[in-house]
Amino acid sequence: MARKKQDDQLTPLELEIMKVLWHEQEASVARVVERLGAERGLAYNTVQTMLTVLHRKGKVEREIKDRAYVYRPAITYEEAASQAVSNFLGRMFAGRPEDLVMTMVKMKKLTREKLAELNKLVDSMDREGGDE
């Protein structure tokens, strides 16, 4: 049975766990539970299950050290962000990034300074022949 494309997306809890792994580079279940903090109130078994799901999704790698699994990110933050943005663009804006930017401008989520920065980035891409 083929996996649904949305299975590749990180849930909010998976993203929290991935942030711990990106910061730590590698961690045991106990370390992830510790880093998420007591205020989050996650049981050890919940985190263990989520790490197993992330492993099945190919988002983390694991190996046994001292009779316990140690987990490492299999994808970078940038790869995860790119996947999330692509999914969002496809669902909300029919894959048109310019519509997302226009919406952000209309909602006043981009300051003049950020728009100027964006303009410089586009200009440098044009000079480098990065028109895709």
Side-chain angles (χ1 to χ4, degrees), residues 59-110:
K59 306 297 184 186
V60 301
E61 298 169 342
R62 67 184 183 191
E63 68 177 289
I64 293 184
K65 284 188 180 175
D66 300 324
R67 299 185 320 175
Y69 280 119
V70 173
Y71 294 86
R72 279 184 304 287
I75 61 168
T76 64
Y77 172 82
E78 291 76 16
E79 290 168 329
S82 178
Q83 289 171 356
V85 169
S86 292
N87 180 270
F88 180 70
L89 276 174
R91 289 184 305 116
M92 288 300 296
F93 297 99
R96 294 187 308 264
E98 62 276 7
D99 290 351
L100 169 61
V101 173
M102 292 302 290
T103 299
M104 292 177 73
V105 170
K106 288 176 188 173
M107 292 174 62
K108 297 183 170 112
K109 297 292 182 185
L110 289 175

Side-chain angles (χ1 to χ4, degrees), residues 1-128:
M1 174 182 240
R3 247 182 21 199
K4 292 179 188 171
K5 184 174 175 76
Q6 210 158 11
D7 284 349
D8 287 340
Q9 295 304 305
L10 294 172
T11 66
L13 179 54
E14 290 171 345
L15 181 57
E16 281 186 61
I17 291 169
M18 290 300 298
K19 286 179 180 179
V20 170
L21 293 176
W22 287 320
H23 181 266
E24 296 286 319
Q25 299 300 307
E26 72 173 29
S28 65
V29 176
R31 180 67 176 146
V32 173
V33 171
E34 178 184 318
R35 288 281 304 176
L36 288 175
E39 74 276 351
R40 188 67 171 91
L42 292 174
Y44 181 96
N45 288 345
T46 301
V47 174
Q48 186 175 40
T49 299
M50 296 308 299
L51 283 163
T52 299
V53 169
L54 286 165
H55 181 256
R56 271 195 238 122
K57 285 183 170 185
K59 306 297 184 186
V60 301
E61 298 169 342
R62 67 184 183 191
E63 68 177 289
I64 293 184
K65 284 188 180 175
D66 300 324
R67 299 185 320 175
Y69 280 119
V70 173
Y71 294 86
R72 279 184 304 287
I75 61 168
T76 64
Y77 172 82
E78 291 76 16
E79 290 168 329
S82 178
Q83 289 171 356
V85 169
S86 292
N87 180 270
F88 180 70
L89 276 174
R91 289 184 305 116
M92 288 300 296
F93 297 99
R96 294 187 308 264
E98 62 276 7
D99 290 351
L100 169 61
V101 173
M102 292 302 290
T103 299
M104 292 177 73
V105 170
K106 288 176 188 173
M107 292 174 62
K108 297 183 170 112
K109 297 292 182 185
L110 289 175
T111 63
R112 288 188 184 277
E113 293 79 19
K114 287 295 176 185
L115 286 170
E117 247 182 83
L118 185 59
N119 214 9
K120 286 180 187 175
L121 182 60
V122 170
D123 287 345
S124 72
M125 285 175 58
D126 286 346
R127 284 191 298 275
E128 295 170 6

